[in-house]
Amino acid sequence: MEEIKVLINKAKLEKRVEELAKQIEKDYKGKDIVFIGVLKGCTMFFIDLAKRISNDVAFEFVEISSYEGTESTGRISLNKDITESIKGKDVIIIEDIIDTGRTLQYLVELLKSKNPNSLRIATLLSKPSRRVIDLNVDYIGFQIDDIFVVGYGLDYNQKYRNLPYIGYIES
Ligand code: IMP
Ligand code: MG
């Protein structure tokens, strides 16, 4: 078993999620919100964020797979779509991490075609040095360097998702 080092501990995660929740409450005063989580990595962040927001938050989920081809041709497909209409709704995509930005670009196009009133992006983590798609990201928990991270929803071969902190594999 690989050794996992802590990058962002539980207390720091909690504090930052609380700050993002307060910011979202301020920006969406008096409005209902639809959270669309990107499975499976979003789960911990999604729930921790949603329960700290006093607005009514509807829950939707998508599941997307990306087939790693060459850097420029990474094919993306939708395994699971949302189940309720988002027409006229105020939607926030909830993502675990933005790397190249390809997954989110695909999802933003898909969701825009469903005519929400507004569409924003919240991500727990961002690796700006890896970005190939220019995305406007409204809420970012932490910017991190180009290292592979696990925990708090994020996996390595489906492992480590339930760690209560963000860590990296020491090799
Ligand atoms: P993108 O389409 O390149 O932005 O890839 C984003 C997706 O790749 C995320 O939703 C994650 O599922 C996965 N990913 C990217 N970096 C990491 C990482 O450091 N740890 C775990 N998953 C990652
Ligand atoms: Mg993901």
Side-chain angles (χ1 to χ4, degrees), residues 38 41 66 68 76 95-104 127 130-131 144 147-150 154-156:
V38 185
S66 46
E68 285 294 297
I76 293 177
E95 180 58 298
D96 51 358
I97 186 164
I98 308 177
D99 189 33
T100 63
R102 287 201 182 95
T103 306
L104 269 183
K127 289 181 188 171
R130 294 264 306 161
R131 203 65 43 83
I144 61 168
I147 50 168
F148 195 85
V149 289
V150 295
L154 291 132
D155 75 305
Y156 172 65

Side-chain angles (χ1 to χ4, degrees), residues 5 18 32-35 37 50 52 65 70 78 93 100 103 108 113 117-118 123 139-140 143 159 162-163:
K5 292 264 161 99
E18 177 70 31
D32 292 348
I33 307 171
V34 180
F35 269 17
R52 288 177 168 85
S65 24
T70 63
L78 186 72
I93 296 170
T100 63
T103 306
V108 164
S113 74
N117 179 55
S118 67
T123 187
Y139 306 100
I140 298 176
Q143 301 219 343
K159 276 180 70 180
N162 63 322
L163 294 177

Side-chain angles (χ1 to χ4, degrees), residues 1-4 156 159-160 169-170:
M1 190 168 159
E2 303 89 358
E3 196 195 336
I4 307 295
Y156 172 65
K159 276 180 70 180
Y160 308 118
I169 298 165
E170 178 87 325

Side-chain angles (χ1 to χ4, degrees), residues 13 38-48 95-97 124-125 148-167:
L13 282 175
V38 185
L39 293 171
K40 306 170 185 157
C42 76
T43 44
M44 300 268 195
F45 179 46
F46 185 112
I47 297 300
D48 282 351
E95 180 58 298
D96 51 358
I97 186 164
L124 179 69
L125 304 172
F148 195 85
V149 289
V150 295
Y152 196 67
L154 291 132
D155 75 305
Y156 172 65
N157 291 338
Q158 302 301 328
K159 276 180 70 180
Y160 308 118
R161 289 196 197 274
N162 63 322
L163 294 177
Y165 54 85
I166 299 287

Side-chain angles (χ1 to χ4, degrees), residues 75-86:
R75 274 187 304 135
I76 293 177
S77 72
L78 186 72
N79 298 340
K80 188 215 170 301
D81 202 347
I82 56 173
T83 58
E84 301 290 325
S85 169
I86 55 166

